[in-house]
Amino acid sequence: IAAAIPDLSGYDVVVIGSPYWWGGLSIPMRTFLMDHPLAGKRVLPFCVSASSSPSGAWADVRTFCPNAQIAEGFHTTESRAASSRDDLVAWLKRSGL
């Protein structure tokens, strides 16, 4: 990751997103989480896949954020992404945002 990440210490909730690559989070997101494990944060993950279940992505989030509170994730497929706004808003509301 070439860009500097701002100080995340002032945030209680962090929303992270990633494409689903080969059964898990993308390599850039894995790198971010290795460098910023988000300990003590509430993490809201989302991912987009071609058609696969997001279970591998959720497992990666738990692996790379062992000391964070992981909320229910949001997943949509590539073919539904453009029309998933209502589902996304409902997920954010359920998550307390």
Side-chain angles (χ1 to χ4, degrees):
I1 298 176
I5 303 299
D7 179 14
L8 299 174
S9 64
Y11 298 93
D12 295 327
V13 178
V14 178
V15 179
I16 59 170
S18 176
Y20 195 70
W21 285 0
W22 298 100
L25 295 174
S26 67
I27 298 303
M29 181 52 70
R30 289 178 187 203
T31 300
F32 170 79
L33 293 175
M34 283 188 278
D35 293 342
H36 306 86
L38 305 177
K41 309 278 184 214
R42 185 162 178 253
V43 177
L44 281 68
F46 68 91
C47 74
V48 177
S49 67
S51 62
S52 302
S53 159
S55 60
W58 306 157
D60 283 348
V61 172
R62 287 189 302 274
T63 296
F64 291 108
C65 302
N67 297 311
Q69 177 192 357
I70 311 300
E72 168 196 2
F74 176 78
H75 169 257
T76 191
T77 59
E78 185 178 6
S79 63
R80 291 193 63 235
S83 63
S84 65
R85 184 181 190 285
D86 290 344
D87 293 337
L88 175 64
V89 170
W91 170 69
L92 290 169
K93 285 181 181 178
R94 282 193 313 274
S95 300
L97 298 182

